[in-house]
Amino acid sequence: MILAIAGIVALWPRTGDGDAADTGIASDTVRSVPRKESDTKLTELRQRAKTRPCPSPAPDAPAPAGPLAGVTTACLGTPGPVDLGATLAGKATLVNVWASWCPPCREEMPVLDEYSERPGAIPVLGVNVQEAPSDGLAFLADVGVRYPSVHDGKRAVQDAFRVPPVLPLNYLVRPDGSVTRITNPLVFRSPDEVEEAVRRHLEREG
């Protein structure tokens, strides 16, 4: 069982201080991430990635609640902050935590992207962690994933969710702001699996 799980998930690399993150699957592989990247470079990468815009709060949304209340992070595909608590309030959202150095993420994210295009699908929001924004954007351009993502450079989302040191991770944020981690399956292999897991968790909590 331990070997099977190890083959599915990627362990987080060792991290530096608050705004910097190291990349690499092995814990002894360390590469510093620059604190500030060129706006021109990020603009070019955003144009290549062509992700959908990050969501914004609905005018009639309820007050933010749950662990994301007060959590603000940066949109990856476009410049600017995203108030996650306010943005996700009042609606169910599937939150996918990912990084470019995570092999299972490369397999899973196109599945999530396909699910997000289905009629009746709940929104999918990615959370890019443990690397520079340019690495995340280059990865999105490479794999052709279009659902929006935020960059959690200051670990605000990771701390709010108390995420374990493995990737990928998927969470269902319910309309009331409560959050459940989806562990069955650990990695989605088909849009049908995503649809079934979302339905199961919404029915269980509803």
Side-chain angles (χ1 to χ4, degrees):
M1 178 65 73
I2 294 175
L3 291 176
I5 294 176
I8 292 174
V9 296
L11 295 176
W12 281 5
R14 189 168 51 195
T15 59
D17 57 31
D19 291 334
D22 302 318
T23 60
I25 296 175
S27 61
D28 59 350
T29 302
V30 180
R31 180 166 61 86
S32 297
V33 171
R35 289 182 177 274
K36 183 173 178 58
E37 297 187 292
S38 162
D39 290 340
T40 301
K41 179 180 180 181
L42 291 177
T43 298
E44 292 173 351
L45 287 169
R46 285 168 177 147
Q47 291 173 348
R48 283 180 51 206
K50 298 179 182 178
T51 59
R52 295 193 288 274
C54 287
S56 57
D60 57 348
L68 289 179
V71 172
T72 298
T73 188
C75 184
L76 189 61
T78 57
V82 180
D83 184 334
L84 288 179
T87 295
L88 303 188
K91 58 187 176 185
T93 303
L94 180 60
V95 175
N96 168 240
V97 184
W98 63 274
S100 67
W101 45 261
C102 159
C105 298
R106 178 177 289 271
E107 299 175 11
E108 180 183 65
M109 291 175 70
V111 170
L112 291 170
D113 200 42
E114 185 176 347
Y115 162 76
S116 73
E117 297 283 358
R118 287 188 168 186
I122 67 172
V124 177
L125 179 68
V127 179
N128 180 224
V129 300
Q130 302 290 313
E131 62 186 347
S134 60
D135 293 328
L137 285 167
F139 174 78
L140 291 176
D142 183 38
V143 298
V145 167
R146 301 291 180 248
Y147 60 82
S149 285
V150 297
H151 182 257
D152 194 29
K154 296 185 178 180
R155 296 187 52 89
V157 180
Q158 296 164 74
D159 290 344
F161 284 176
R162 298 181 180 179
V163 300
V166 294
L167 290 176
L169 293 162
N170 291 293
Y171 295 85
L172 179 68
V173 180
R174 290 180 287 273
D176 65 0
S178 58
V179 177
T180 296
R181 182 185 167 195
I182 298 175
T183 56
N184 182 24
L186 288 175
V187 178
F188 289 117
R189 303 298 183 186
S190 73
D192 288 341
E193 282 189 346
V194 184
E195 190 171 297
E196 169 59 21
V198 169
R199 181 197 61 76
R200 185 173 66 245
H201 281 276
L202 286 177
E203 288 181 353
R204 182 183 304 167
E205 304 298 333

